[in-house]
Every structure is written in structure tokens, then in C-alpha cells.
Amino acid sequence: MSELILGKAISESIYTELRERIESLKSKGITPGLAVVLVGSDPASEVYVRMKGKKCEELGMHSVTMTLPENTTEEELLKKVEELNNDKSVHGFLVQLPLPPHIDEKKVIYAIDPKKDVDCFHPVNVGKMLIGEPEFLPATPAGVQQMLVRSGTETKGKHVVVVGRSNIVGKPMAAMMMQKGDGADSTVTVVHSRTKDLPSITRLADILIVAMGKPNFVTADMVKEGAVVIDVGTNRIDDPVKGSKLVGDVDFEGVKSKVSAISPVPGGVGPMTICMLMANTVAAAEKARVSR
Ligand code: NDP
């Protein structure tokens, strides 16, 4: 029987630790604050933004949700970013992506104060992470790393294969696993859509981290016996009974009996992303206190 690595349970234990840190900050008169800016009314983005606000409130954090109309200009959005950069009650904030096509996402991300960039998308923070001096860690890869650490998965000297090279998941994931230290020290290979004979490489993985956006792509023949598999993929597909359902990039049913541990979808990586965003916000509040 393979072990299930459940982000839901792991995130609960991290929230317990965060509550203590939040209480400690509050006892010193500081309430960690997270702001989320949403432009337009993309339904998936609205759900994420609501979830982030709800989690802040559950944790007793200060939460600001700024909803701006679809026709907001780039200049108006940059002004909001500047306001949040200067707002002392907001320790971290993010602008929910994707933005409407008339706004340059890069310009907006570059305008965020790196000390408040809790998504870790600003190039200064990406660079700091790469050289092993992180201000923050990007939420989804950090969540995966915590799942490995807290499930007792040894990463030192292990061959980690990351499937996918996006700026949000694959690239930072690979960069984090190759760092020196606990939960890392791995030998890392990254594969993508231009990789030749991908299964011959995924089969070498002691730890296989998949972030492709291709439902059930990774099948049992692509995985080494006894490997640990973390499935970041989140894909909604048709279901004859329920209408639709969420599945990962890994064929969970086919793969689970061959590996030593695997994360399911849903209930795997999903809950970790918001959890790590909250952790980054608490860390930002702690750092702001020290640097005052
Ligand atoms: P992107 O679409 O940005 O990147 C997908 C990556 O997979 C690309 O590098 C692409 O290669 C690679 N890829 C696609 N098809 C193949 C293939 N046939 N063979 C090999 N490689 C392939 O996606 P994201 O990284 O943003 O997201 C990946 C998945 O993770 C999605 O399902 C997304 O919903 C999910 N996700 C889940 C999160 C969570 O909180 N649980 C958070 C973020 C993402 P190439 O670069 O060559 O095109």
C-alpha cells in the first residue's frame, strides 16, 4: 500500500503553527495583513480571491480585497500597487493573475515592493531564491517542499524529476530542490514538452513532481517502483455522473500501487498553496517588525 501525502492535513498542522505566530505578533500590536487585488470578474480568480480572504479571516489576519472593474487602466492599477506598497497595515499583497490583456502583467509585478511580494513573482525575489537567500518562497513549490518534508520523504541526494518549466511552478520548484539544506540537496532534472523520450527520464525519478496541466498524463509505466509522486496538476474534466470533476496530471489509480507515496487530486497540493501564501504574509509581518 502506498502512503497518501495529503496537503489538507499537512496544511492544518502549518496553520496551527501560524496561529501561534499570529498571536505573538498581535500581542505586540501587529496584525499581519494581506491584500489581494482583483481586476475584472474571471470566475476562477474570484473563487481564489474569496478563498484567500476567508482564510485570512479564519486566522485572525487583516484582509483587504480590492475589486477593480475590467476596464481599469494600467496606470490606475499601478497607482493601487503604489498605495499598497505604502500601506503599513498591509504586510503582503498580490495582484491576482491573469490580468485583462490591456494591462502589462510584468509592469505590475515589477512595481510591487519585493518586501511585500508574498507571491514571490518579483524578479528580485526570484533571484534571491535562486542564490539561496530567499525573501519568500513561491507558494505552490513551497507547498510541495513542505509536503515532502512533513511526510518524512528524504530529498538529500535523491533524483528529483520536475515535469514542467513554468515560472510559477516548474522552474522555481527545480531551483528550490537543488539548493543546499533540508528538504532539498537533490539532484534535479527538468523535463518539458520539447524533451525527447520523457518516460525514460521520469522512470529515473526517486521523487517525481508533475506540473503540466495535462489530465492523467503520467501513467504507471512512466514511474519507478517505490518512487514518491507529487501531482501539482489541477484539471477539470467531464464526468458522466457529476458533470465534471478535478483530476491531476498523474493517473492516480494506475500509479498508486506502484509507488511508495503519492499525493491525490483533490486534497493534495491544492490546499498547500494558500497555506504558504499565509505563511509568507506572517513572515513579512515578522520581518517588517524587526526592520522598523
Ligand atoms: P503551464 O501551462 O504554465 O506549464 C505547463 C508545463 O508543462 C510547461 O513547461 C510545458 O512545457 C509542460 N508540458 C505540457 N505538455 C507537456 C507534455 N506533453 N510533455 C512534457 N511537458 C509538457 O502550467 P503551470 O505550471 O502554471 O501549471 C501546471 C499545472 O499545475 C496545471 O494543471 C495547473 O492548474 C496546476 N497548478 C496547481 C496549483 C495548485 O495550487 N495546486 C498552482 C499552480 C498550478 P513547455 O514549457 O515546453 O510548453
Side-chain angles (χ1 to χ4, degrees), residues 21 45-46 53 61 66 86 89 107 117 131-132 175 193 195 211 216 227 234 238 241 252-253 272 278-279 283:
R21 287 164 63 188
S45 294
E46 281 179 339
M61 288 164 53
M66 253 182 213
N86 295 319
S89 73
K107 238 188 198 170
D117 168 41
I131 62 170
S193 71
T195 298
N216 300 321
T234 312
D238 293 340
V241 182
F252 181 82
E253 287 308 320
M272 294 300 293
M278 297 299 143

Side-chain angles (χ1 to χ4, degrees), residues 140 164-166 192-193 198 211-214 217 232-235 270 273:
T140 302
R165 57 174 169 180
S166 70
H192 46 75
S193 71
L198 183 136
M212 309 170 72
K214 296 273 177 262
F217 185 94
V232 183
T234 312
N235 312 289
T273 298

Side-chain angles (χ1 to χ4, degrees), residues 129-133 174-181 184-186:
M129 186 252 314
L130 192 64
I131 62 170
E133 292 175 14
M176 283 165 61
M177 296 310 296
M178 72 167 79
Q179 299 297 323
K180 291 184 177 173
D185 272 331
S186 307

Side-chain angles (χ1 to χ4, degrees), residues 23-37:
E23 278 319 305
S24 163
L25 281 165
K26 281 184 160 178
S27 71
K28 296 168 186 105
I30 299 155
T31 303
L34 173 70
V36 180
V37 183

Side-chain angles (χ1 to χ4, degrees), residues 240-270:
V241 182
K242 293 187 260 174
S244 74
K245 66 174 178 180
L246 277 188
V247 297
D249 291 342
V250 177
D251 169 23
F252 181 82
E253 287 308 320
V255 167
K256 71 174 184 207
S257 55
K258 192 172 178 186
V259 296
S260 62
I262 184 167
S263 69
V265 178
V269 178

Side-chain angles (χ1 to χ4, degrees), residues 4-247:
L4 285 182
I5 304 182
L6 301 170
K8 182 100 188 62
I10 292 169
S11 66
E12 283 311 326
S13 66
I14 295 174
Y15 284 129
T16 303
E17 295 162 16
L18 286 180
R19 281 192 180 90
E20 276 178 29
R21 287 164 63 188
I22 293 165
E23 278 319 305
S24 163
L25 281 165
K26 281 184 160 178
S27 71
K28 296 168 186 105
I30 299 155
T31 303
L34 173 70
V36 180
V37 183
L38 175 66
V39 184
S41 51
D42 175 67
S45 294
E46 281 179 339
V47 171
Y48 292 138
V49 168
R50 253 201 315 276
M51 283 162 71
K52 288 166 189 170
K54 196 167 156 249
K55 190 46 87 178
C56 273
E57 275 155 31
E58 265 174 48
L59 293 171
M61 288 164 53
H62 173 53
S63 163
V64 179
T65 303
M66 253 182 213
T67 310
L68 306 175
E70 181 84 25
N71 61 1
T72 301
T73 64
E74 189 177 278
E75 203 187 343
E76 285 166 336
L77 180 57
L78 289 171
K79 213 164 144 238
K80 289 285 173 207
V81 168
E82 201 44 41
E83 273 172 39
L84 290 169
N85 281 341
N86 295 319
D87 184 338
K88 291 218 167 4
S89 73
V90 169
H91 300 96
F93 71 97
L94 60 97
V95 178
Q96 187 69 43
L97 303 181
L99 288 169
H102 65 276
I103 299 179
D104 182 349
E105 284 186 359
K106 245 198 233 169
K107 238 188 198 170
V108 174
I109 289 170
Y110 286 27
I112 296 173
D113 179 348
K115 292 207 159 14
K116 295 192 174 189
D117 168 41
V118 282
D119 255 346
C120 197
F121 289 169
H122 193 290
V124 164
N125 287 333
V126 177
K128 282 184 163 182
M129 186 252 314
L130 192 64
I131 62 170
E133 292 175 14
E135 184 79 31
F136 301 109
L137 293 174
T140 302
V144 171
Q145 191 175 41
Q146 284 301 313
M147 289 168 79
L148 293 170
V149 169
R150 290 173 187 250
S151 63
T153 304
E154 178 60 84
T155 57
K156 201 179 291 289
K158 300 292 177 186
H159 187 186
V160 171
V161 176
V162 179
V163 188
R165 57 174 169 180
S166 70
N167 288 338
I168 295 179
V169 191
K171 277 186 208 162
M173 188 78 249
M176 283 165 61
M177 296 310 296
M178 72 167 79
Q179 299 297 323
K180 291 184 177 173
D182 293 342
D185 272 331
S186 307
T187 303
V188 181
T189 304
V190 181
V191 294
H192 46 75
S193 71
R194 302 300 172 100
T195 298
K196 292 205 169 74
D197 193 8
L198 183 136
S200 70
I201 301 171
T202 55
R203 273 197 292 271
L204 297 175
D206 301 312
I207 299 170
L208 182 63
I209 302 171
V210 190
M212 309 170 72
K214 296 273 177 262
N216 300 321
F217 185 94
V218 174
T219 46
D221 58 311
M222 296 167 70
V223 175
K224 180 164 79 174
E225 186 105 34
V228 172
V229 177
I230 304 287
D231 189 355
V232 183
T234 312
N235 312 289
R236 190 161 285 286
I237 60 164
D238 293 340
D239 181 78
V241 182
K242 293 187 260 174
S244 74
K245 66 174 178 180
L246 277 188
V247 297

